[in-house]
Amino acid sequence: MTVTAGAAPARNAGRGKATRTTLGRALNEGLRQAMRDDDRVVLLGEDIASLGGVFRVTDGLAAEFGDRVVDTPLAESGIIGTAIGLALRGYRPVCEIQFDGFVYPAFDQIVSQLAKMRARSRGLLSLPVTIRIPVGGGIGAVEHHSESNEAYFCHTAGLRVVACSHPQDAHDMLRAAIACDDPVIFYEPKRRYWDKAEVDLGRPVDSDTLERAHVLREGTDVTVVAYGPTVALALNAAEVAASEGRSLEVLDLRSLSPLDTTELCRSAAKTGRVVVVHEAPVNVGLGAEIAATVMRHCFYDLRAPVERVGGYNIPYPPARAEDDYLPDLDRVLDAVDRVSAP
Amino acid sequence: MSSGTDDVLQLVDLSGNLNEQRAAGLLDVTGQLVRGLYRDMVLGRRFDQEAYSLQRQGELGLWLMSLGQEAAQVGSIRALRADDRVFPSYREHVAALCRGVSPTELLSQWRGTSHGAWDPERYHFHIYSLVLATQTLHAVGYAMGVRYDRSDSVVFACFGDGASSQGDANEALNWAAVTSAPIVFFCQNNGWAISTPASKQYARPLRARAQGFGLDAVSVDGNDVLAVYAATRSMAERIRAGGAPGFIEAHTYRMSGHSTSDDPKRYRDNDELARWQANDPVERVRLLLKARDWADEDYFATVAADAEELAERTRQECRALPEPSLSDTFRTTLHEETVALRREREGYETFKESFL
């Protein structure tokens, strides 16, 4: 993959210095830079222009880029369908789906059209469309506003599916996604939008950033695999476990499809014990794929069955019950205990 | 059935009489124009017939017949400019031939050697869309791009009466209207969505629905190639000049089944078919050419011979279509093959080669 994000020297003059900002602002800056660097980048979504999106991720972009920020009709299939048409015309649309649970009306356009048109045209057509989806629960929202639907899209060939977990990656991965000539489902952990960290907004983006998992904390006893909103939880669990004398390695998957099997297996082989943590229901979730992958490649290195911690196999509950539904510190540490049993 | 009323534009009646008064101001009807349209229709029909035969001989997995819709397709496509972008549905074979798509490229999908064999850029004709109405949204997005580019080309989205019930079609009409996209929606209302009649698709005329969305909408006799030509050209020119998006409902009829898999005798009666056979779009133009003395027997013989030649070529080339390779599908799934995909492809190839 050829990625030029953040690489244009003139654009990055004066950059390279870390600034403390939120994940939401890092995304906003990523969009701004992408639009400055390439006038074929256009944004489509509901309420993204004057309001700046319900999470304000597109704040100020309409003022700078005018009609390249499109307040669309309230029609999710239309957002993706027209993005496909724009891409066929040579543009690089970035779509905002307002909430995870609102992506279903666009499901056909994503899985049957966007994902397959390249193979269907024998490689003649490329659709560089990025679909940003605020994902997950934990913000006390009403129904359809807290879903984790990554498994549907990971199951579809022709899509890349990624999830950012912290401000630096939010910026870098979004730039890489927009620069990518393939369709990318880009998950933004909505309860982390306000998390702050030091971010280098001018950092060149690795050309393979959309395919690589990162070890965020080294450890020797158990690998905790997480992505998106559960990465912070995994890091917290590692901190607490350390105080109890247990060394957890935290792997941020980043790319959900394809999986970075190399990094996953390297870590699993090293610790011999794996716990996968995601918000989506465990049944036929991404954790099952990860467990199967580890079992297939690291069978003789494993010292315990792979454990999964995720949502229960029920619809996402009302907000006042979500704390019991979502993986939390106790459930993660309980799973760590299970895989650590001699 | 279409008629010559004020609501439905008709320029040539079933006996081949040209309504000169209505045609005046819409288009200059010349022998050369009508001969060209006639030839395209005859060749398109012959091609369709040959493809049907090939399916019956087991050479195609499926075929969706276009018999009866030649005027709607030829009249509309010939009225467009070469750089106007067409987004077809899946029955636009005659339209595709008019755009230069080869018989082989057209048959590949139905033989099972590809999911779309032609280069849309080359012909300004997108590959077929099999999920109904999805392409109407692609067309609107493309038209937004045309607007960004400040081009004066027009986008032409084909769909059918059945597809009009899909959410995507309605989202597309609305979206186009609110963005003033440079697009013409072209609905070939052939009366049937497989076995469901148009009367079960909508309670109000489609034209009225389009008008309700804010589009400039007209109805034409879809079996009258000159009426379709005139309506398409005037709408495209109006949009080129900055006018609102348009909608054309062409009333036509699918004289065959939906596909080679259904039996139309199970859901429609012979009287209806007979009425529409008497309203054959090709025959009407033949009568016009003869009445005006715009074509002699030699001309008709030449067109017939060209049609036979096309059929022969279609037959030969269909059987010679190369078998697809699964490796190619691996290689074209993503723009740049990921490590995971490459490993899977290599695994497949190694396994396959182990049998040689």
Side-chain angles (χ1 to χ4, degrees), chain B residues 7-23:
Chain B
D7 283 329
V8 180
L9 178 68
Q10 185 189 71
L11 298 180
V12 181
D13 69 16
L14 272 56
S15 305
N17 300 308
L18 175 66
N19 185 332
E20 304 218 21
Q21 202 179 346
R22 283 200 104 179

PDB file of all heavy atoms in Angstrom, chain B residues 7-23:
ATOM      1  N   ASP B   7     -50.606  12.532 -21.946  1.00  0.00           N
ATOM      2  CA  ASP B   7     -49.783  12.094 -20.822  1.00  0.00           C
ATOM      3  C   ASP B   7     -48.554  11.321 -21.263  1.00  0.00           C
ATOM      4  O   ASP B   7     -47.525  11.364 -20.613  1.00  0.00           O
ATOM      5  CB  ASP B   7     -50.611  11.204 -19.890  1.00  0.00           C
ATOM      6  CG  ASP B   7     -51.535  12.034 -19.035  1.00  0.00           C
ATOM      7  OD1 ASP B   7     -51.168  13.178 -18.716  1.00  0.00           O
ATOM      8  OD2 ASP B   7     -52.620  11.541 -18.716  1.00  0.00           O
ATOM      9  N   VAL B   8     -48.703  10.561 -22.330  1.00  0.00           N
ATOM     10  CA  VAL B   8     -47.619   9.689 -22.767  1.00  0.00           C
ATOM     11  C   VAL B   8     -47.159  10.136 -24.151  1.00  0.00           C
ATOM     12  O   VAL B   8     -47.937  10.127 -25.103  1.00  0.00           O
ATOM     13  CB  VAL B   8     -48.082   8.218 -22.814  1.00  0.00           C
ATOM     14  CG1 VAL B   8     -46.949   7.319 -23.278  1.00  0.00           C
ATOM     15  CG2 VAL B   8     -48.591   7.775 -21.458  1.00  0.00           C
ATOM     16  N   LEU B   9     -45.900  10.522 -24.224  1.00  0.00           N
ATOM     17  CA  LEU B   9     -45.393  11.011 -25.505  1.00  0.00           C
ATOM     18  C   LEU B   9     -45.273   9.877 -26.515  1.00  0.00           C
ATOM     19  O   LEU B   9     -44.605   8.865 -26.253  1.00  0.00           O
ATOM     20  CB  LEU B   9     -44.017  11.667 -25.319  1.00  0.00           C
ATOM     21  CG  LEU B   9     -43.358  12.177 -26.598  1.00  0.00           C
ATOM     22  CD1 LEU B   9     -44.131  13.374 -27.173  1.00  0.00           C
ATOM     23  CD2 LEU B   9     -41.888  12.544 -26.356  1.00  0.00           C
ATOM     24  N   GLN B  10     -45.937  10.065 -27.648  1.00  0.00           N
ATOM     25  CA  GLN B  10     -45.809   9.113 -28.742  1.00  0.00           C
ATOM     26  C   GLN B  10     -45.645   9.910 -30.027  1.00  0.00           C
ATOM     27  O   GLN B  10     -46.370  10.874 -30.267  1.00  0.00           O
ATOM     28  CB  GLN B  10     -47.059   8.228 -28.832  1.00  0.00           C
ATOM     29  CG  GLN B  10     -46.926   7.134 -29.891  1.00  0.00           C
ATOM     30  CD  GLN B  10     -48.242   6.400 -30.140  1.00  0.00           C
ATOM     31  OE1 GLN B  10     -49.162   6.970 -30.728  1.00  0.00           O
ATOM     32  NE2 GLN B  10     -48.327   5.155 -29.708  1.00  0.00           N
ATOM     33  N   LEU B  11     -44.679   9.527 -30.844  1.00  0.00           N
ATOM     34  CA  LEU B  11     -44.453  10.224 -32.110  1.00  0.00           C
ATOM     35  C   LEU B  11     -44.822   9.357 -33.307  1.00  0.00           C
ATOM     36  O   LEU B  11     -45.171   9.878 -34.366  1.00  0.00           O
ATOM     37  CB  LEU B  11     -42.989  10.662 -32.228  1.00  0.00           C
ATOM     38  CG  LEU B  11     -42.506  11.661 -31.168  1.00  0.00           C
ATOM     39  CD1 LEU B  11     -41.049  12.018 -31.397  1.00  0.00           C
ATOM     40  CD2 LEU B  11     -43.360  12.933 -31.179  1.00  0.00           C
ATOM     41  N   VAL B  12     -44.706   8.053 -33.128  1.00  0.00           N
ATOM     42  CA  VAL B  12     -45.030   7.130 -34.219  1.00  0.00           C
ATOM     43  C   VAL B  12     -46.081   6.146 -33.706  1.00  0.00           C
ATOM     44  O   VAL B  12     -45.888   5.538 -32.648  1.00  0.00           O
ATOM     45  CB  VAL B  12     -43.775   6.345 -34.677  1.00  0.00           C
ATOM     46  CG1 VAL B  12     -44.122   5.412 -35.835  1.00  0.00           C
ATOM     47  CG2 VAL B  12     -42.668   7.312 -35.097  1.00  0.00           C
ATOM     48  N   ASP B  13     -47.190   6.013 -34.422  1.00  0.00           N
ATOM     49  CA  ASP B  13     -48.230   5.098 -33.933  1.00  0.00           C
ATOM     50  C   ASP B  13     -47.946   3.661 -34.368  1.00  0.00           C
ATOM     51  O   ASP B  13     -46.948   3.383 -35.058  1.00  0.00           O
ATOM     52  CB  ASP B  13     -49.631   5.574 -34.343  1.00  0.00           C
ATOM     53  CG  ASP B  13     -49.867   5.445 -35.853  1.00  0.00           C
ATOM     54  OD1 ASP B  13     -49.088   4.727 -36.533  1.00  0.00           O
ATOM     55  OD2 ASP B  13     -50.821   6.081 -36.361  1.00  0.00           O
ATOM     56  N   LEU B  14     -48.835   2.773 -33.985  1.00  0.00           N
ATOM     57  CA  LEU B  14     -48.579   1.354 -34.216  1.00  0.00           C
ATOM     58  C   LEU B  14     -48.531   0.991 -35.701  1.00  0.00           C
ATOM     59  O   LEU B  14     -47.977  -0.046 -36.072  1.00  0.00           O
ATOM     60  CB  LEU B  14     -49.648   0.499 -33.519  1.00  0.00           C
ATOM     61  CG  LEU B  14     -49.365   0.110 -32.072  1.00  0.00           C
ATOM     62  CD1 LEU B  14     -49.108   1.296 -31.183  1.00  0.00           C
ATOM     63  CD2 LEU B  14     -50.471  -0.768 -31.516  1.00  0.00           C
ATOM     64  N   SER B  15     -49.092   1.866 -36.532  1.00  0.00           N
ATOM     65  CA  SER B  15     -49.072   1.601 -37.976  1.00  0.00           C
ATOM     66  C   SER B  15     -47.882   2.265 -38.671  1.00  0.00           C
ATOM     67  O   SER B  15     -47.776   2.235 -39.891  1.00  0.00           O
ATOM     68  CB  SER B  15     -50.373   2.118 -38.613  1.00  0.00           C
ATOM     69  OG  SER B  15     -51.490   1.549 -37.961  1.00  0.00           O
ATOM     70  N   GLY B  16     -47.046   2.893 -37.883  1.00  0.00           N
ATOM     71  CA  GLY B  16     -45.867   3.517 -38.459  1.00  0.00           C
ATOM     72  C   GLY B  16     -46.094   4.937 -38.952  1.00  0.00           C
ATOM     73  O   GLY B  16     -45.265   5.482 -39.688  1.00  0.00           O
ATOM     74  N   ASN B  17     -47.181   5.547 -38.536  1.00  0.00           N
ATOM     75  CA  ASN B  17     -47.448   6.939 -38.936  1.00  0.00           C
ATOM     76  C   ASN B  17     -46.751   7.900 -37.986  1.00  0.00           C
ATOM     77  O   ASN B  17     -46.909   7.809 -36.764  1.00  0.00           O
ATOM     78  CB  ASN B  17     -48.958   7.228 -38.914  1.00  0.00           C
ATOM     79  CG  ASN B  17     -49.703   6.314 -39.862  1.00  0.00           C
ATOM     80  OD1 ASN B  17     -49.347   6.212 -41.036  1.00  0.00           O
ATOM     81  ND2 ASN B  17     -50.709   5.618 -39.342  1.00  0.00           N
ATOM     82  N   LEU B  18     -45.993   8.806 -38.541  1.00  0.00           N
ATOM     83  CA  LEU B  18     -45.273   9.805 -37.745  1.00  0.00           C
ATOM     84  C   LEU B  18     -46.175  11.013 -37.500  1.00  0.00           C
ATOM     85  O   LEU B  18     -46.752  11.573 -38.433  1.00  0.00           O
ATOM     86  CB  LEU B  18     -44.011  10.253 -38.503  1.00  0.00           C
ATOM     87  CG  LEU B  18     -43.185  11.378 -37.882  1.00  0.00           C
ATOM     88  CD1 LEU B  18     -42.550  10.943 -36.567  1.00  0.00           C
ATOM     89  CD2 LEU B  18     -42.112  11.846 -38.856  1.00  0.00           C
ATOM     90  N   ASN B  19     -46.297  11.388 -36.238  1.00  0.00           N
ATOM     91  CA  ASN B  19     -47.049  12.593 -35.881  1.00  0.00           C
ATOM     92  C   ASN B  19     -46.112  13.781 -36.032  1.00  0.00           C
ATOM     93  O   ASN B  19     -45.369  14.139 -35.119  1.00  0.00           O
ATOM     94  CB  ASN B  19     -47.574  12.471 -34.443  1.00  0.00           C
ATOM     95  CG  ASN B  19     -48.472  13.636 -34.056  1.00  0.00           C
ATOM     96  OD1 ASN B  19     -48.332  14.746 -34.585  1.00  0.00           O
ATOM     97  ND2 ASN B  19     -49.395  13.384 -33.138  1.00  0.00           N
ATOM     98  N   GLU B  20     -46.172  14.372 -37.221  1.00  0.00           N
ATOM     99  CA  GLU B  20     -45.196  15.422 -37.546  1.00  0.00           C
ATOM    100  C   GLU B  20     -45.365  16.649 -36.666  1.00  0.00           C
ATOM    101  O   GLU B  20     -44.393  17.324 -36.321  1.00  0.00           O
ATOM    102  CB  GLU B  20     -45.348  15.810 -39.019  1.00  0.00           C
ATOM    103  CG  GLU B  20     -45.202  14.604 -39.921  1.00  0.00           C
ATOM    104  CD  GLU B  20     -44.446  14.922 -41.196  1.00  0.00           C
ATOM    105  OE1 GLU B  20     -43.719  15.919 -41.204  1.00  0.00           O
ATOM    106  OE2 GLU B  20     -44.598  14.164 -42.148  1.00  0.00           O
ATOM    107  N   GLN B  21     -46.614  16.892 -36.302  1.00  0.00           N
ATOM    108  CA  GLN B  21     -46.878  18.069 -35.478  1.00  0.00           C
ATOM    109  C   GLN B  21     -46.197  17.939 -34.109  1.00  0.00           C
ATOM    110  O   GLN B  21     -45.588  18.882 -33.610  1.00  0.00           O
ATOM    111  CB  GLN B  21     -48.391  18.218 -35.311  1.00  0.00           C
ATOM    112  CG  GLN B  21     -48.815  19.625 -34.944  1.00  0.00           C
ATOM    113  CD  GLN B  21     -50.329  19.715 -34.820  1.00  0.00           C
ATOM    114  OE1 GLN B  21     -51.068  18.824 -35.240  1.00  0.00           O
ATOM    115  NE2 GLN B  21     -50.796  20.804 -34.249  1.00  0.00           N
ATOM    116  N   ARG B  22     -46.322  16.749 -33.534  1.00  0.00           N
ATOM    117  CA  ARG B  22     -45.696  16.546 -32.216  1.00  0.00           C
ATOM    118  C   ARG B  22     -44.175  16.477 -32.336  1.00  0.00           C
ATOM    119  O   ARG B  22     -43.452  16.908 -31.434  1.00  0.00           O
ATOM    120  CB  ARG B  22     -46.203  15.250 -31.585  1.00  0.00           C
ATOM    121  CG  ARG B  22     -47.585  15.341 -31.008  1.00  0.00           C
ATOM    122  CD  ARG B  22     -47.836  14.243 -30.010  1.00  0.00           C
ATOM    123  NE  ARG B  22     -47.783  14.745 -28.638  1.00  0.00           N
ATOM    124  CZ  ARG B  22     -47.980  13.985 -27.558  1.00  0.00           C
ATOM    125  NH1 ARG B  22     -48.215  12.704 -27.703  1.00  0.00           N
ATOM    126  NH2 ARG B  22     -47.931  14.499 -26.363  1.00  0.00           N
ATOM    127  N   ALA B  23     -43.711  15.921 -33.433  1.00  0.00           N
ATOM    128  CA  ALA B  23     -42.262  15.759 -33.585  1.00  0.00           C
ATOM    129  C   ALA B  23     -41.579  17.103 -33.809  1.00  0.00           C
ATOM    130  O   ALA B  23     -40.435  17.303 -33.359  1.00  0.00           O
ATOM    131  CB  ALA B  23     -41.960  14.821 -34.753  1.00  0.00           C
TER     132      ALA B  23
END
